[in-house]
Amino acid sequence: MNETTNLTPAPAGREEDLTPEQLAAQWESEAPRAAGPVANLVSSAVAVVLGAAGLILSLRLGLGTPSQPQPGLWPFVMSLVIAVLGLAQMVIGRHGGDGEKFSRLSWLVLFGTATLVGLVALMPVIGFEIPSLLLCFVWMKFLGGESWRSAALYSVLVIAAFYGIFILGLGTTIPHLF
């Protein structure tokens, strides 16, 4: 028996019956195609641009010092990390790597981002409870594939936990209704 025989996908059946080599071959045959160098460069450039925009916006908020931080300090740090990682990816990842090609599932990232922007826009107006509950439900149901009952139950539990931790426990100044 040669090595290629061991690496061919096994006939359809239970995954428990497959050898590790057959399982790896099956996963590789089902994996999306690699994106290639141009897609890696473009996605890295998007990360750098978003990081730079975050740096500019956070500077406008003010940084302060580590002992007396102002609202822009941690967004600045995170934006700096995003920009540096994007630049590193431009240099290291431009050779193609294993990045996935964009597919229709890639649009879910934009959907998730748009709902997060909605949360940020609604939070100062009606507090964090309702927008967070809706965001949590939408992410669990439509992005996570949970059942209606699970998504509703888990969303209420998550928001109740956040309320307990951040409002009751830590006394933060997050806008809230109750």
Side-chain angles (χ1 to χ4, degrees):
M1 220 196 247
N2 62 27
E3 285 184 34
T4 57
T5 308
N6 291 337
L7 297 178
T8 57
R14 295 177 3 155
E15 287 187 358
E16 296 87 28
D17 297 337
L18 300 177
T19 66
E21 293 82 13
Q22 290 172 326
L23 191 56
Q26 179 181 346
W27 289 344
E28 189 164 331
S29 70
E30 295 170 359
R33 294 187 323 221
V38 173
N40 285 342
L41 181 65
V42 169
S43 61
S44 299
V46 168
V48 170
V49 168
L50 288 174
L55 288 170
I56 292 166
L57 292 172
S58 61
L59 283 172
R60 290 183 184 170
L61 291 172
L63 300 180
T65 64
S67 61
Q68 299 220 346
Q70 289 185 351
L73 181 62
W74 292 113
F76 180 84
V77 170
M78 294 310 300
S79 297
L80 182 63
V81 168
I82 290 169
V84 168
L85 289 175
L87 288 170
Q89 181 63 21
M90 280 181 162
V91 174
I92 297 167
R94 69 177 184 209
H95 302 294
D98 292 325
E100 292 181 8
K101 193 170 197 126
F102 284 97
S103 68
R104 66 178 187 82
L105 292 177
S106 302
W107 290 104
L108 293 177
V109 174
L110 290 177
F111 176 72
T113 304
T115 56
L116 193 57
V117 168
L119 168 84
V120 171
L122 288 174
M123 194 180 297
V125 179
I126 59 175
F128 94 93
E129 296 93 344
I130 294 171
S132 298
L133 183 71
L134 291 173
L135 176 80
C136 196
F137 179 80
V138 166
W139 281 15
M140 286 188 189
K141 176 63 187 149
F142 300 107
L143 298 180
E146 294 287 336
S147 69
W148 289 96
R149 185 183 331 177
S150 297
L153 176 64
Y154 296 148
S155 297
V156 169
L157 292 174
V158 165
I159 301 312
F162 283 174
Y163 187 87
I165 293 168
F166 292 105
I167 304 298
L168 300 176
L170 297 174
T172 60
T173 58
I174 297 174
H176 58 92
L177 291 175
F178 309 106

